[in-house]
Amino acid sequence: MTNPATTRRVPETRVTKQRIAVTAALGQVDDFVTAQELHRWLIDEGDKVSLATVYRLLLSLAEEGLVDVLRNNEGEAMYRQCVIEHHHHHLVCRICGKAVEVEAPAVEKWAARVAEENGFTDPTHTVEIYGLCPGCSAAKDTGEST
């Protein structure tokens, strides 16, 4: 019997008009967007794509490592096309949401060591570091709003 917790979903890799539209839209977005925001943008641009399809394609692109996924303060998934094409982490501003991709070899070594020490194999992880970006820090120090 197959354990659903260990069964991995096969990513959607067919090249469809909807996949092309979602990928192109992500290429024009500088910051993270929710599926709803991306769907609204696609509809405004005249693309015929359902919200369910946008969700499915974003999940597939994330599984393929083509988009980054973060959770906002409400726990909602937000997506952005990857700039760094291999495993990486993010610094995220708590005020404006700006995200910077960072590589952290020490984190990779730590995660592998902790997994090994506990008998785990094939470890994966995500790390997001939240703080204030330089612009929001400066605005906070001067009492301005961003």
Side-chain angles (χ1 to χ4, degrees):
M1 188 160 135
T2 305
N3 179 351
T6 60
T7 304
R8 294 188 184 201
R9 192 175 82 78
V10 176
E12 171 76 31
T13 56
R14 292 181 307 137
V15 179
T16 63
K17 285 191 276 187
Q18 291 88 354
R19 183 179 171 103
I20 292 168
V22 166
T23 303
L26 284 170
Q28 295 182 31
V29 176
D30 291 333
D31 213 348
F32 284 85
V33 294
T34 65
Q36 292 90 350
E37 291 168 337
L38 189 62
H39 177 253
R40 194 172 317 114
W41 189 86
L42 288 163
I43 296 301
D44 290 348
E45 291 295 309
D47 290 301
K48 295 188 186 312
V49 59
S50 72
L51 180 57
T53 297
V54 171
Y55 271 111
R56 181 178 46 77
L57 289 170
L58 288 171
L59 285 173
S60 177
L61 291 167
E63 289 173 358
E64 293 173 47
L66 300 174
V67 298
D68 289 325
V69 184
L70 293 178
R71 299 264 174 205
N72 63 17
N73 291 338
E74 292 79 39
E76 184 176 17
M78 300 182 70
Y79 304 87
R80 179 179 73 177
Q81 213 167 33
C82 292
V83 176
I84 298 175
E85 294 185 6
H86 54 276
H87 184 73
H88 57 276
H89 307 284
H90 301 96
L91 294 168
V92 183
C93 181
R94 288 191 308 261
I95 294 176
C96 71
K98 176 184 178 176
V100 176
E101 295 180 351
V102 296
E103 297 184 51
V107 170
E108 308 311 318
K109 290 176 186 171
W110 172 83
R113 181 180 50 78
V114 168
E116 184 179 338
E117 288 172 356
N118 289 281
F120 280 66
T121 61
D122 194 25
T124 62
H125 63 275
T126 57
V127 174
E128 273 70 56
I129 302 167
Y130 293 88
L132 300 182
C133 71
C136 290
S137 289
K140 183 178 175 195
D141 291 342
T142 63
E144 297 175 19
S145 62
T146 55

